[in-house]
Amino acid sequence: MRRRHSTHGDALVAAYLRDLEGALALTDPAEREDILDGVKEHIRAALADGRPAGEVIAALGPVERTAAAAGAEAGGEALPAPRPWPGETLLLAAALAAWPFVLVLPWVTTVLGASVLGVGIRRLWRHGRQGRALHAAVVVAALAFVVGTVLLIALESPASLAPGPEETLPGVPVE
Amino acid sequence: MAGDGVLPQLRKGVVEYCVLARLRSGPAYGLHLAHALSEGGVLAGEGALYPLLSRLRRTGWVETTWESSPSGPPRRYYHLTAEGAAALSDFTSTWHRFTQDVDTILEGDP
């Protein structure tokens, strides 16, 4: 019996989320994902508190109302438009600055790449969708970190790059 | 009833500051915020909270962290930022002046 209720609740939640996704079809994709994630989390938390699925869905209200709220927010004047974070450009500059050192001082590239990557991911995690400069900074920093680290590992094992003094080519006499 | 048409209009431009005000005393997760605002009649439906939170987050007035929950999956907590607190402070002073002016007119004082 309990399983029957659970299956019915699962179907209700799935239908609601499908309807909500459809109602948000014209919303910016990143914003749509953010809203859907919030609603899914709301439902999970409410169900974990022991509330019946039907009650949770009813309290959320019609999907059209949620979609209308998204539309009103997108076109409304109540909040200022999201401003690009001033640090985005600085982070991108720092990520690009890591590259000139890649052949001479790869550790600088690795450390700078890791630092920019850490700050960028933390910013994205806490504030969601950001400007293109921040996304570019994260990608450039990730590449710098990977390439710098690979070069550092290669330099740490010189035997793998050049023959040692004991190594000779076959057929060449040792003096 | 006439009030049914008035309330949605009054909510516009106000609900987001109620969210910020609710976060002034400390971080809260979505379900908790939705209950608090719905019970007071500020929010029309709990689902309408999430477009608002998304926008507030991108504006930089709130930020989020994930924290474990004693019952169920980890929860996303919303925190008021310094920018959000400043916006709330501006709104609060404007709101008091505005409601005083409206009250004066509605009560018919000269």
Side-chain angles (χ1 to χ4, degrees):
Chain A
M1 193 66 173
R2 183 173 177 158
R3 178 65 201 150
R4 217 175 93 192
H5 282 163
S6 169
T7 306
H8 175 67
D10 292 348
L12 202 62
V13 168
Y16 177 83
L17 290 173
R18 203 169 42 244
D19 289 349
L20 180 59
E21 193 167 2
L24 292 169
L26 297 178
T27 311
D28 171 81
E31 188 181 354
R32 182 171 63 233
E33 285 305 307
D34 205 22
I35 295 168
L36 284 169
D37 285 349
V39 172
K40 284 176 191 169
E41 191 196 331
H42 176 108
I43 294 171
R44 276 198 302 269
L47 294 177
D49 286 350
R51 288 174 62 192
E55 187 186 302
V56 175
I57 299 299
L60 282 168
V63 293
E64 293 79 11
R65 189 188 286 159
T66 303
E73 288 307 321
E77 295 176 359
L79 298 180
R83 288 194 305 274
W85 178 48
E88 285 190 10
T89 315
L90 194 64
L91 271 189
L92 181 57
L96 291 170
W99 283 97
F101 299 98
V102 73
L103 292 176
V104 276
L105 293 169
W107 65 269
V108 174
T109 305
T110 304
V111 170
L112 206 50
S115 305
V116 172
L117 194 59
V119 174
I121 287 175
R122 184 176 180 274
R123 180 80 194 174
L124 286 171
W125 181 256
R126 291 175 78 96
H127 294 277
R129 189 170 63 105
Q130 298 285 305
R132 285 181 186 171
L134 184 61
H135 290 274
V138 167
V139 172
V140 172
L143 286 172
F145 175 71
V146 171
V147 172
T149 306
V150 168
L151 282 175
L152 272 179
I153 292 168
L155 288 173
E156 282 297 312
S157 50
S160 65
L161 295 177
E166 298 84 14
E167 295 176 36
T168 56
L169 295 172
V172 177
V174 180
E175 291 183 10
Chain B
M1 203 168 85
D4 292 342
V6 171
L7 195 53
Q9 293 300 320
L10 289 177
R11 284 191 183 112
K12 285 180 184 171
V14 175
V15 184
E16 52 267 38
Y17 294 99
C18 294
V19 175
L20 297 181
R22 183 61 194 74
L23 293 174
R24 196 169 35 194
S25 57
Y29 58 95
L31 183 64
H32 187 185
L33 279 172
H35 283 174
L37 295 169
S38 297
E39 280 171 10
V42 173
L43 207 59
E46 293 181 353
L49 175 67
Y50 294 96
L52 190 60
L53 286 173
S54 172
R55 177 80 171 170
L56 285 171
R57 196 157 78 110
R58 283 180 294 117
T59 307
W61 289 0
V62 303
E63 59 184 17
T64 56
T65 55
W66 284 94
E67 291 176 29
S68 60
S69 158
S71 62
R75 289 172 173 173
R76 181 162 39 178
Y77 275 76
Y78 295 86
H79 303 247
L80 184 65
T81 63
E83 274 189 331
L88 176 60
S89 176
D90 286 348
F91 174 82
T92 306
S93 57
T94 307
W95 175 256
H96 286 318
R97 281 198 308 273
F98 179 72
T99 51
Q100 276 171 10
D101 291 345
V102 172
D103 285 346
T104 303
I105 292 168
L106 290 178
E107 289 162 14
D109 287 349

